[in-house]
Amino acid sequence: MSARCQLTGAQPGFGNRISHSHRRTSRRFDPNIQRKRYWLPSEGRYVRLTLSARAIRAVDGIGIEAAVARIRARGEKV
């Protein structure tokens, strides 16, 4: 599963891990990605979305229909 949110487009950020001796090594900041299943009443089916925790809260606020419309507007298949 790729670490990318379908709704917000959140993806890993990169930076450095800094040790006590101040040596820098590469690290990755992954978003909190979850796979969640929603009932889509307009199509009479379930859709499984890969969303960040922040996007799950956004879906709770705007509704699944609006969220799917935004995902499709970004050009992603649902």
Side-chain angles (χ1 to χ4, degrees), residues 39-65:
W39 174 253
L40 196 58
S42 64
E43 298 181 16
R45 68 183 181 105
Y46 284 98
V47 292
R48 189 175 297 276
L49 301 175
T50 303
L51 300 172
S52 63
R54 187 179 69 180
I56 290 172
R57 290 197 307 272
V59 169
D60 291 343
I62 65 174
I64 187 61
E65 298 289 342

Side-chain angles (χ1 to χ4, degrees), residues 13-70:
F14 296 89
N16 289 310
R17 191 175 277 117
I18 303 180
S19 70
H20 181 69
S21 66
H22 220 63
R23 287 176 60 98
R24 289 173 164 85
T25 55
S26 190
R27 67 157 293 178
R28 205 171 122 134
F29 296 91
D30 285 324
N32 185 3
I33 298 293
Q34 312 289 326
R35 283 182 57 83
K36 191 150 169 59
R37 195 174 80 143
Y38 290 98
W39 174 253
L40 196 58
S42 64
E43 298 181 16
R45 68 183 181 105
Y46 284 98
V47 292
R48 189 175 297 276
L49 301 175
T50 303
L51 300 172
S52 63
R54 187 179 69 180
I56 290 172
R57 290 197 307 272
V59 169
D60 291 343
I62 65 174
I64 187 61
E65 298 289 342
V68 167
R70 286 187 192 179

